[in-house]
Amino acid sequence: MNSAVRQCLQTAVWLALTCGAVVVGSALATDSIIQAPNVVPISASLVTSGQPTREALSKLSTQGFGAVIYLAPPTVHDAVAGEAEIIRSQGLDFVNIPIPFGKPTEADCESFVTAMNKIRDRKVLVHCQVNMRASSMTFLYRVIVDHEAPDQAYQAVAKVWSPEGPWKKLLVTELRKAGIDFEPY
């Protein structure tokens, strides 16, 4: 076998191994996503989801999370008892903003912005029961505070639901107040 053919084969083997490693690495990264409904990774440092399992909550520090914001009342039927302690025992910050699903308010938005601003230097999980509250509040934060394009940021909400009723009203009100002309769909 001449050296040109040998080098070509070595390059092909190297490429195959490299591509295989990337595919396996991607699969492992997907497998390490939180055990919860409607997990939506926004960026390397921001993830939204529904209620994670107790086991998933207990492993957040090993996934690099530094903080958790929980947007449902801790008394909802599928809440994990002792979630705050599970999170804090890992050295993570825990914030609960107990937003009643049928009555989100401007004050809830302000509380969320305040919480996010305090922990924005860390990897954050924002969750609720099924990622409706979390996706909506995170959308508002991304658009109003971080000045992301609303149509791009809204894709994360649309993966989970189409806000209606008091949630759509809150989104529209907050967007208009910030001078942003976007209609949630």
Side-chain angles (χ1 to χ4, degrees):
M1 183 180 308
N2 72 33
S3 65
V5 171
R6 179 175 290 133
Q7 185 169 357
C8 184
L9 284 173
Q10 287 174 334
T11 301
V13 168
W14 179 84
L15 283 171
L17 290 172
T18 302
C19 289
V22 168
V23 169
V24 169
S26 296
L28 291 175
T30 301
D31 289 345
S32 68
I33 289 181
I34 303 157
Q35 294 172 299
N38 298 321
V39 176
V40 180
I42 306 296
S43 69
S45 61
L46 181 59
V47 177
T48 64
S49 78
Q51 179 64 59
T53 63
R54 176 177 292 279
E55 180 182 358
L57 290 170
S58 69
K59 295 179 180 178
L60 291 177
S61 66
T62 64
Q63 293 182 323
F65 285 93
V68 173
I69 298 178
Y70 179 38
L71 297 179
T75 54
V76 295
H77 75 280
D78 58 350
V80 172
E83 178 173 343
E85 292 75 25
I86 293 168
I87 300 304
R88 290 183 180 129
S89 71
Q90 299 170 73
L92 311 181
D93 283 339
F94 178 81
V95 177
N96 180 225
I97 304 169
I99 303 171
F101 187 74
K103 290 185 166 188
T105 66
E106 181 179 343
D108 294 327
C109 289
E110 292 168 2
S111 295
F112 184 73
V113 167
T114 299
M116 284 292 288
N117 284 341
K118 286 181 183 175
I119 57 177
R120 72 179 297 134
D121 62 331
R122 289 168 250 172
K123 185 175 180 180
V124 179
L125 169 64
V126 180
H127 82 88
C128 53
Q129 288 176 279
V130 289
N131 199 0
M132 292 177 168
R133 294 172 182 94
S135 64
S136 298
M137 289 296 190
T138 301
F139 162 75
L140 288 173
Y141 185 83
R142 291 171 64 198
V143 172
I144 295 169
V145 177
D146 286 344
H147 307 289
E148 290 186 37
D151 53 337
Q152 181 180 348
Y154 195 75
Q155 291 173 17
V157 177
K159 287 180 182 179
V160 178
W161 75 312
S162 181
E164 53 189 41
W167 281 96
K168 185 169 183 174
K169 181 179 178 186
L170 178 71
L171 293 179
V172 169
T173 299
E174 293 300 307
L175 290 170
R176 297 301 177 269
K177 194 168 71 174
I180 298 167
D181 185 26
F182 177 78
E183 187 65 32
Y185 49 90

